[in-house]
């Protein structure tokens, strides 16, 4: 994805997108590319910044941050995007893929619904607290932005953390459709004039088995100054 792509579509229905404005999340631009688009013209396709394993990190290229200095957990790798200002861990056996409207995404090689994706959109807010109390912001996002009209949203847990002076909301939720249920963690933060959203989830039937593994991803997300 080109570095000039500052506004991204979340792939939401219009009703859900309207709810974004209540939190200062606005001016969403849908990005797409036709089959005939040349590589130089595909400004909205995935770009690949730094894919860093524990042994591949070069401190001469990337200044140390708390996340990087801690060391990558076993069986995880770290994705660092210094240009757009964020980083997170992902399972080392996952593979990168293009997810419409997202800046980066990785998925399990065999269970494609088990994935993590990161998106950001412009905002005039300077901190996550500017959106309101976590107890109000999270339910509103899950029920009116993340869920479709035919889904029932259930929030299981929510928490707040502060890392290196930046504030984050992380919450666990389940979206239930008539024939399908998906569980996920989401972590949101505001920095660099952007509202960042990281979502990592799986089929609810597999949630109990993989929950702790995916929680590492949600808790690892950090925004970086750019």
């Amino acid at each position: 994805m080109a570095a000039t792509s500052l506004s991204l579509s979340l792939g939401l229905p219009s009703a859900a997108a309207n709810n974004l404005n209540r939190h200062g999340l606005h001016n969403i631009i849908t990005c797409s590319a036709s089959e005939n688009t040349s590589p130089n013209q595909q400004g909205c396709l995935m770009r690949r910044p730094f894919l860093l394993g524990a042994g591949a990190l070069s401190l001469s290229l990337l200044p140390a941050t708390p996340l990087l200095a801690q060391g990558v957990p076993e069986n995880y790798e770290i994705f660092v995007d210094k240009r757009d200002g964020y980083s997170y861990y992902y399972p080392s056996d996952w593979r990168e893929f293009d997810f419409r409207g997202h800046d980066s995404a990785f998925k399990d090689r065999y269970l494609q619904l088990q994935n993590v994706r990161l998106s950001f959109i412009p905002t005039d807010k300077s901190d996550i607290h500017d959106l309101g109390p976590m107890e109000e912001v999270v339910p509103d996002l899950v029920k009116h932005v993340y869920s479709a009209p035919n889904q029932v949203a259930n929030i299981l847990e929510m928490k707040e953390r502060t890392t290196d002076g930046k504030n984050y909301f992380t919450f666990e939720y389940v979206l239930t459709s008539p024939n399908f249920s998906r569980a996920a963690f989401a972590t949101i933060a505001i920095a660099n004039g952007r509202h960042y959203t990281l979502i990592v989830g799986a089929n609810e039937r597999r949630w109990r088995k993989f929950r702790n593994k995916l929680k590492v991803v949600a808790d690892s997300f950090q925004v970086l100054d750019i």
Side-chain angles (χ1 to χ4, degrees):
M1 184 171 294
T4 55
S5 299
L6 301 184
S7 300
L8 300 176
S9 169
L10 296 181
L12 300 170
S14 58
N18 291 334
N19 283 281
L20 293 173
N21 292 323
R22 287 188 289 168
H23 297 297
L25 314 182
H26 47 71
N27 298 329
I28 300 175
I29 300 175
T30 300
C31 297
S32 62
S34 68
E35 295 179 356
N36 297 323
T37 305
S38 67
N40 292 333
Q41 294 172 325
Q42 293 178 356
C44 295
L45 294 183
M46 180 71 62
R47 57 182 178 75
R48 291 166 171 78
F50 299 102
L51 296 178
L52 301 176
L57 180 60
S58 172
L59 296 181
S60 63
L61 296 177
L62 296 174
T65 68
L67 180 63
L68 303 181
Q70 290 172 5
V72 181
E74 185 178 1
N75 299 321
Y76 290 87
E77 294 187 22
I78 185 170
F79 181 87
V80 181
D81 188 337
K82 295 289 290 184
R83 194 170 194 174
D84 287 317
Y86 66 88
S87 63
Y88 59 86
Y89 299 152
Y90 66 94
S92 57
D93 58 346
W94 286 17
R95 296 294 178 261
E96 188 179 16
F97 75 110
D98 291 343
F99 196 115
R100 179 183 172 87
H102 291 72
D103 193 62
S104 62
F106 294 84
K107 65 181 178 180
D108 187 285
R109 286 184 293 178
Y110 307 106
L111 305 172
Q112 297 189 10
L113 294 178
Q114 199 162 293
N115 58 60
V116 58
R117 66 255 195 201
L118 186 289
S119 64
F120 57 83
I121 56 176
T123 179
D124 58 2
K125 309 297 184 183
S126 60
D127 184 85
I128 204 72
H129 290 134
D130 295 338
L131 302 179
M134 179 178 64
E135 294 77 10
E136 297 178 5
V137 172
V138 170
D140 193 52
L141 285 173
V142 173
K143 295 177 181 179
H144 302 295
V145 177
Y146 297 170
S147 61
N150 67 332
Q151 292 179 315
V152 176
N154 182 26
I155 300 171
L156 305 179
E157 182 182 67
M158 63 180 78
K159 68 176 183 178
E160 179 180 353
R161 66 177 166 92
T162 301
T163 303
D164 199 26
K166 303 292 195 303
N167 297 310
Y168 303 81
F169 293 163
T170 296
F171 40 99
E172 179 183 1
Y173 62 95
V174 177
L175 300 179
T176 303
S177 304
N179 300 315
F180 179 78
S181 293
R182 177 177 170 82
F185 287 108
T187 299
I188 60 175
I190 290 178
N192 307 313
R194 301 171 178 181
H195 178 110
Y196 294 85
T197 301
L198 178 140
I199 296 177
V200 56
N203 188 311
E204 189 189 18
R205 291 179 297 176
R206 300 180 179 275
W207 190 243
R208 180 175 297 181
K209 179 178 180 180
F210 294 104
R211 178 188 182 276
N212 291 340
K213 177 180 179 179
L214 302 184
K215 188 175 187 295
V216 172
V217 178
D219 289 343
S220 73
F221 171 58
Q222 289 191 19
V223 290
L224 311 173
D225 292 330
I226 57 175

